[in-house]
Amino acid sequence: MFKSVTIKDIAKALGVSTSTVSRALNGSYEIGTETKKLVLEYAEKINYRPNPIALSLKEQKSHSIGVVVCEVANDYFSQAINGIESIAYNRGYHVIITQTHESFDRETANVKHLLSRHVDGLLVSLSAQTTDTLQYQDLLEKGFPIVFFDRAAPGLNTHKVIANNFKGAFDATEALIKAGFAKIAHLTNSKNLLISLERLEGYKAALHEYGIEFNPAFVKHCDHGGMIQGEVELALKELLSMDVPPQAIFSGSDRLTISSISILKKMGIKIPQDVALAGFTNSDVVQLFDPPLTVVRQPAFQIGQMATEMLIKTIESKWPVYEFNTEKVDVELIVRSSSQKN
Amino acid sequence: MFKSVTIKDIAKALGVSTSTVSRALNGSYEIGTETKKLVLEYAEKINYRPNPIALSLKEQKSHSIGVVVCEVANDYFSQAINGIESIAYNRGYHVIITQTHESFDRETANVKHLLSRHVDGLLVSLSAQTTDTLQYQDLLEKGFPIVFFDRAAPGLNTHKVIANNFKGAFDATEALIKAGFAKIAHLTNSKNLLISLERLEGYKAALHEYGIEFNPAFVKHCDHGGMIQGEVELALKELLSMDVPPQAIFSGSDRLTISSISILKKMGIKIPQDVALAGFTNSDVVQLFDPPLTVVRQPAFQIGQMATEMLIKTIESKWPVYEFNTEKVDVELIVRSSSQKN
DNA sequence: ATGAAAGCGCTAACAA
DNA sequence: TTGTTAGCGCTTTCAT
């Protein structure tokens, strides 16, 4: 670390005690106007900055928040992290990011690591593998602040920020139906994730609304969220080699959507001629794709911001917090040619 | 922060002094084997974790490193940050990320902020606006560890990790020439950046190698790195409305490359029929573009890792470091149809 | 209005 | 081999 000016230096230079300096700096009232001015001016002059580490030790607060996500190299999460950072920075917190790569073990290890780092709170989006949320339960019971975003743990009583997954899935499926497709498959994330269920429900509801029978064989779950080599490819191949294959696919996650196009292209399958496609993704360049992609887009940046606001509010609350809310944010369907019949 | 077990609790429970506990925990030799075992077992049992904040205060080290980049929502930088985090995490450092949005003032403010946070070192990629690097000079003279990556400050004596920009530019330009284009424009970043100059030189060298005269009017600099609304559009329009417009464009940064395609499409310009395109970018989905994009790709993840290794080595060096090296890493040209004559 | 001193968790120099 | 103590930078209680 770097030798910097301390309160002691100021005290010595001015011939006062460190407590006087501290009081002046903190705008206490029990101090003489003259002395205060003197200290403040000198501090300014030598460019004094309090040592945040000493403050942390004193206050028993690290002023840092831990983030648990599956991966950062993902448009949704990198945008969310951007939102998280933007709020945290302004409120004087720093952010420690950890990745689970969709593994429950890594998630557990990350949470442990963050706690050993004495983070003041946690911003969590569960891994695709996670079914056991006991560690969060324990922490919450001790009053430790946690806010879930995107992939929330069902049954845990705390703040959550989630997208309107049902509506997003409904809208995307509806768009495919309106484009003239009836045989629509759904490629989605692990069954463990609540978002997968919500999106599945939205998909089913749209089918139902338009009198299309739901075919369970048309639903493919990628239990590792597409992180495992061949997982997405296998699902797609199974779908396309069915006796009556789907004419369109609605894909339920950022990684799955992008992987699908890539794999379909490699397989020589034409979109949308051979199979149409619509999916959740937050990529900003999908309008440049061939064909331009129909997507459900989430306000990831704002979701990150909201979750962070809620977390910091909980952290800084003078009283234990017992009232929690779940913010549901709207998603946006953007129709492009990948979902249109040719 | 969260009430956790301290060395004092262990000492009290075991009826020994805190220093004994400390010694046991740190594997000191001046301690009885019995006592050591006792402490270690108990610490394990109650899941003791040292308080990193107390350690920081004691050691005068924050175990954090500051990162200065233009923006994180950029494929190159998000990948580099991934590399940075991967090393930092394993070495017990955490990473504080700040964004300049290509503004010199924000860069200065960020460096100040990071120093007030007592980071142990800095990983810097300059903003497009930066010409004055005095603040880094001052820090370096005091022995403060700084490693530049990608956008390094010329004339500062410290570690640097940069891509082989000359070769990347040469190769991309050469690919366009070999595809049959002679009138090749170069859209690039601010003149202030060394990388812009190196890429310009590579571009010129390729032209020269193939006996094509260099036309200064074919070079357009975006002084704000494309962060300012309309900046890229203006440059492109100027190029395309020339009496003898270019047949191909070589673009010299991630943001400029992606912006260009987007703008050209909006203008109704066909790639590569109306104008061919090749450019620096680290996007992983450009092969899905229409047309698939010819790119120069940098090993951003590795660059981040290397820079972090070098920084931590400098931070942890027992002696002042006077010998610095500049690592030059290879880039990769991937030719796709955006640069091919139709 | 100001100073002295304790304490946050930990390490290390010094004593025993 | 173990304990006592001081100190990292800061705030805050208790004296004065």
Side-chain angles (χ1 to χ4, degrees), chain B residues 212-254:
Chain B
I212 300 172
E213 200 179 348
F214 169 64
N215 176 0
F218 271 175
V219 176
K220 291 288 176 191
H221 286 274
C222 291
D223 286 332
H224 301 272
M227 297 295 281
I228 279 188
Q229 188 67 25
E231 188 183 20
V232 185
E233 192 161 352
L234 180 67
L236 288 172
K237 283 197 171 141
E238 284 178 1
L239 282 174
L240 297 174
S241 63
M242 289 174 73
D243 288 342
V244 186
Q247 309 160 304
I249 298 173
F250 159 53
S251 124
S253 94
D254 215 305

Side-chain angles (χ1 to χ4, degrees), chain A residues 42-295:
Chain A
Y42 185 73
E44 166 74 11
K45 191 179 129 222
I46 63 171
N47 194 28
Y48 167 80
R49 293 278 172 273
N51 183 332
I53 298 165
L55 279 173
S56 287
L57 186 59
K58 182 84 225 198
E59 294 173 12
Q60 300 291 75
K61 282 203 45 178
S62 66
H63 286 278
S64 64
I65 65 190
V67 176
V68 179
V69 293
C70 58
E71 43 165 6
V72 299
N74 171 307
D75 290 292
Y76 175 82
F77 288 108
S78 69
Q79 290 164 25
I81 287 169
N82 214 330
I84 292 170
E85 294 264 9
S86 73
I87 299 294
Y89 182 91
N90 286 326
R91 302 287 233 97
Y93 285 77
H94 55 243
V95 173
I96 307 178
I97 293 158
T98 64
Q99 307 184 69
T100 66
H101 298 285
E102 306 288 19
S103 144
F104 173 66
D105 290 344
R106 292 196 64 157
E107 182 175 314
T108 310
N110 287 344
V111 170
K112 285 229 173 74
H113 173 84
L114 290 168
L115 291 176
S116 81
R117 284 279 197 173
H118 287 235
V119 294
D120 297 333
L122 240 32
L123 244 26
V124 179
S125 193
L126 296 173
S127 92
Q129 238 189 51
T130 305
T131 51
D132 176 0
T133 57
L134 204 63
Q135 60 177 337
Y136 302 112
Q137 175 91 51
D138 289 346
L139 288 168
L140 287 169
E141 277 169 9
K142 290 187 205 153
F144 187 79
I146 304 179
V147 174
F148 287 94
F149 71 101
D150 189 46
R151 301 159 167 208
L156 292 188
N157 191 27
T158 186
H159 289 312
K160 296 169 190 174
V161 185
I162 49 176
N164 193 337
N165 292 304
F166 180 90
K167 185 162 182 302
F170 185 97
D171 291 352
T173 311
E174 185 180 46
L176 289 167
I177 298 171
K178 283 189 172 166
F181 301 107
K183 296 198 283 291
I184 302 169
H186 179 33
L187 179 68
T188 190
N189 220 315
S190 160
K191 286 182 205 64
N192 300 330
L193 297 175
L194 196 55
I195 55 168
S196 301
L197 300 183
E198 292 174 351
R199 290 172 192 179
L200 178 59
E201 286 311 313
Y203 159 80
K204 282 186 187 172
L207 294 181
H208 184 258
E209 172 109 358
Y210 288 87
I212 300 172
E213 200 179 347
F214 169 65
N215 176 0
F218 271 174
V219 176
K220 292 286 175 193
H221 286 275
C222 291
D223 286 332
H224 300 272
M227 296 296 280
I228 278 188
Q229 186 68 22
E231 187 183 20
V232 185
E233 191 161 352
L234 179 66
L236 287 173
K237 283 196 170 142
E238 283 178 1
L239 282 175
L240 296 175
S241 63
M242 288 174 73
D243 288 343
V244 186
Q247 309 161 303
I249 298 172
F250 159 52
S251 124
S253 93
D254 215 306
R255 170 165 281 273
L256 295 177
T257 305
I258 303 293
S259 297
S260 293
I261 313 169
S262 198
I263 292 166
L264 291 172
K265 281 212 173 185
K266 208 178 68 191
M267 291 166 69
I269 310 277
K270 297 250 174 308
I271 306 171
Q273 295 88 332
D274 300 334
V275 64
L277 190 66
F280 272 73
T281 177
N282 265 53
S283 167
D284 285 320
V285 294
V286 283
Q287 85 281 3
L288 303 175
F289 280 20
D290 174 30
L293 204 61
T294 294
V295 301

Side-chain angles (χ1 to χ4, degrees), chain B residues 297-324:
Chain B
R297 195 173 199 287
Q298 303 182 59
F301 185 84
Q302 287 86 333
I303 289 175
Q305 290 194 310
M306 289 169 71
T308 311
E309 293 276 18
M310 288 163 103
L311 183 67
I312 294 179
K313 203 168 159 191
T314 310
I315 288 172
E316 296 185 347
S317 162
K318 294 271 180 290
W319 323 107
V321 176
Y322 299 115
E323 292 259 321
F324 299 105

